[in-house]
Amino acid sequence: MRMGEGVEWVLHSLLTLGWLGDGEPLPAARLAAGNDLPPAYLNKQLQALVRAGLLTSTSGPRGGFRLARPLSEITLMDVVAAIEGPDEAFRCTEIRRRGSGAAAPDSEFAEPCAVSAAMRRAELAWRRELAAQTVADVLAAADSHAPSAGRRVRRFHGRD
Amino acid sequence: MRMGEGVEWVLHSLLTLGWLGDGEPLPAARLAAGNDLPPAYLNKQLQALVRAGLLTSTSGPRGGFRLARPLSEITLMDVVAAIEGPDEAFRCTEIRRRGSGAAAPDSEFAEPCAVSAAMRRAELAWRRELAAQTVADVLAAADSHAPSAGRRVRRFHGRD
DNA sequence: GGACGGCTACTCGGATATCGCTTGTCCGAGTAAATGCGG
DNA sequence: CCGCATTTACTCGGACAAGCGATATCCGAGTAGCCGTCC
């Protein structure tokens, strides 16, 4: 099982926007340069955040992406759902109904498949933990370990 | 993010072996027929369980796969790790060191990346929940909802 | 009748194709600033 | 000097290719049972 790289990319992009602080838009090309990422593909990923309502975009000169709401109101769950999609990692294909189970009465399938339920329980714990952490929490943790990161980012983008 | 279908397949295969109860080997072809799955590919997936030490295999006539230990000693984590591999879904590529972070002193990177740590925390909750459930628990849940499933499986394989 | 050797059929195991999704790139539509011109 | 129309450059957005891992299949190596033969 593998999570797309886009999640990591946009999380660092959100941190950058948070460090800049002002509500000024930042183009995807600048965002990519600051994190050494492919500009065009990062742009594509950021579009997903716009569709999810986490960012707003502006075209033309002085345009770019800006936060739609404070980082403290954006959870990791929001970000993962925006990039990876809303459906679960484990998908039940109702194997229990097939093969030897085909002869079973429908009443036996009233409850969800036990395998699916067990996997769903684990995945729910994952989602709960993602929803419990905001990007602002991550930014605070990063600041506590590397206090000058924010200043470097602001300087890189000429906003200090 | 998407989990491979093999996980679902082998979980149902393990349930089948548990329902049969006796320690007799069951060929992959029979397991596939009982769950309506592609025989050759299921065989490939079961090999991964053998490598992980969850199953033992026997060649030749009267051969097949059997449980290496009781289902109560096989957790969902064991199964997922056997099929999907041991590495985590989220992989940190150390974006913090790149771009504007390239100029930072190494001391700022002593602690793990905050993004990676946050994602790891969520994934740990997932793994913890997987490790807390055994396949025997899943089998018990299935039995409670569909009491005749085990009998149907035994009859299908001529072992009642 | 019993034992032994060869044969047959069956099973796993890994090497080999195929498919779909993630990754990656590109160009066009739209927009806001800059510019030049006229008043 | 000020206002306005035009030009220009910049940005996002989605359409279009490429690479890679998961999916699926097949055939060979090995093994256990079976059969025929010989003692």
Side-chain angles (χ1 to χ4, degrees), chain A residues 1 3 8-9 34 37 84 89 91 93 95 98-100 104 108 111 118 121-122 126 130 133 145-146 148 152, chain B residues 1 3 8-9 34 37 84 89 91 93 95 98-100 104 108 111 118 121-122 126 129-130 133 146 148 152:
Chain A
M1 198 175 54
M3 170 164 293
E8 187 186 11
W9 296 5
L37 297 173
E84 295 285 323
R91 293 150 201 214
T93 60
I95 290 180
R98 313 211 293 252
S100 67
E108 301 227 340
E111 299 292 324
R121 193 170 306 140
W126 178 65
L130 285 179
Q133 302 181 76
H145 296 327
S148 60
R152 269 197 309 278
Chain B
M1 198 174 54
M3 170 165 293
E8 187 186 11
W9 296 6
L37 297 174
E84 294 286 322
R91 293 150 201 215
T93 60
I95 290 179
R98 314 211 293 252
S100 67
E108 301 227 339
E111 300 292 325
R121 193 170 307 140
W126 178 65
E129 201 66 31
L130 285 178
Q133 302 181 76
S148 61
R152 268 197 309 279

Side-chain angles (χ1 to χ4, degrees), chain A residues 100-154:
Chain A
S100 67
D106 282 357
S107 64
E108 301 227 340
F109 304 134
E111 299 292 324
C113 171
V115 170
S116 171
M119 297 299 294
R120 192 178 304 259
R121 193 170 306 140
E123 205 158 325
L124 208 64
W126 178 65
R127 290 181 125 81
R128 197 188 314 276
E129 200 67 31
L130 285 179
Q133 302 181 76
T134 71
V135 184
D137 297 333
V138 177
L139 187 141
D143 273 339
S144 78
H145 296 327
S148 60
R151 185 166 52 248
R152 269 197 309 278
V153 167
R154 281 188 292 274

Side-chain angles (χ1 to χ4, degrees), chain B residues 83-140:
Chain B
I83 299 295
E84 294 286 322
D87 15 336
E88 309 199 4
F90 181 89
R91 293 150 201 215
C92 179
T93 60
E94 290 293 332
I95 290 179
R96 59 177 178 166
R97 293 177 184 266
R98 314 211 293 252
S100 67
D106 283 355
S107 64
E108 301 227 339
F109 304 134
E111 300 292 325
C113 171
V115 170
S116 171
M119 297 299 293
R120 191 178 306 258
R121 193 170 307 140
E123 206 159 324
L124 208 63
W126 178 65
R127 290 182 126 80
R128 196 187 316 275
E129 201 66 31
L130 285 178
Q133 302 181 76
T134 71
V135 184
D137 298 333
V138 177
L139 185 141

